[in-house]
Amino acid sequence: MNKRSKFAGLALSATLAAGTLFTVAPAGITYANEQTAVAFSDLDPTGDDYQPILALAERGIIKGYPDGTYKPGRDITRQQAAKIIAGALELDTKNVKDPGYTDLSKDSEYYGPIAALTEAGILSGTVKDGKKVINPASNLSRAQMAKIIAEAYDLDHEVSYTAPFTDVTADEWHAGYVQALYNLGITKGVGNVYAENDFVTRGQMAMFIHRAENSGEAVKTVEAARDLIYDFLESKSEVKDNNGVVIVETAFDRETGVYDVFIDADTNIASLLSALGKLKEVGLLSEDITKLGLTHLKVADNKPVDLTKDFDAAVNTLTQQVIDEVLRDGKISSHNIPVEATITVGKYTLKEEITLNGNLKR
């Protein structure tokens, strides 16, 4: 296994390709196939941290106290968190390079995990009075936790800060890391604040790690759906009339996010409507693409149109909306029209933003 778990960077507001946006609803993170053989006497079965603690304990990543408790509300130290993270990532904590921390003994049970995480680029420590330190016994703050989780699971943290937490500003060092966790539902904050300086508890740490691991499922789901949609739209398609003349052609470029529609039509509404109606047979407005999970389409500033109830009626509505956009300046011409597609795959919601580029061939 690699030193670090490799998950493609996924963010709620991260562009996966030019012109295309996918989102994963935070509520979509669930826990599957949980093992509950391990039990702790002080856990609340209704608590958010209950299943995460049991799942990590079953894997031998976390342990309780001799009295049979886990003490989920106790603050966790940086070294304790390091040991758990290293275990979750299955890092080699024996054959490690000396990280050079002057406040970390090589005889410590935490030396191997901290050294492994440092070598993997997840921990870096700091310099105090000219000495490299890691402050292993200090409690772990929520800001520090965000960085460690994001680095450990390769979450995309180079994103604009848009989270609703009022106590984190975009210019703070941890803003991107907090955003990365918020994007995937790994953290929900405390009301309208993130509580960046509060300490992370043992229960919360298990919960954050477990959610981060489950985000890998979301990444795979999104990538699979994205690729299927890209492949479908990139396969250049055409519709011919009864005489074999091509009247509609479509093509999609995943690099630019542009969906080209070439229509062989006269510059009048009737001809244009007739040609656009052919789009039901191919491409973005075809019923085939709904089988990939497409549920809604939103044209420009219009409301999203549901494709799952009455497909024909939905396509008629969308066609008229496209016509309205084409005629916005009072004449028929080529237009770049923003279209947002909503795709539902299992418990995940994905959104794709593309540019519909209409081109008249006459």
Side-chain angles (χ1 to χ4, degrees), residues 232-234 237 249-253 256-261 279 282-286 335-337 354-359:
F232 186 91
L233 294 179
E234 279 188 335
S237 302
E249 291 181 89
T250 66
F252 179 70
D253 185 343
T256 62
V258 174
Y259 181 63
D260 283 304
V261 178
L279 287 177
V282 63
L284 189 61
L285 293 182
S286 69
H335 286 268
N336 294 325
I337 303 171
I354 66 175
T355 299
L356 174 61
N357 186 17
N359 302 276

Side-chain angles (χ1 to χ4, degrees), residues 109 124 139 181 320 323 351-352 357:
E109 64 177 296
S124 57
N139 290 332
L181 269 61
Q320 186 59 55
I323 290 291
K351 290 187 178 181
E352 176 196 16
N357 186 17

Side-chain angles (χ1 to χ4, degrees), residues 225-255:
R226 176 200 63 190
D227 290 342
L228 287 175
I229 292 170
Y230 281 177
D231 291 345
F232 186 91
L233 294 179
E234 279 188 335
S235 58
K236 188 174 182 179
S237 302
E238 58 185 28
V239 178
K240 298 180 181 180
D241 62 14
N242 294 332
N243 298 319
V245 177
V246 176
I247 56 176
V248 175
E249 291 181 89
T250 66
F252 179 70
D253 185 343
R254 72 178 68 198
E255 295 299 324

Side-chain angles (χ1 to χ4, degrees), residues 35-38 53-62:
Q35 302 296 321
T36 57
V38 178
I53 290 172
L54 294 183
L56 293 179
E58 181 65 23
R59 291 160 57 188
I61 295 171
I62 58 177

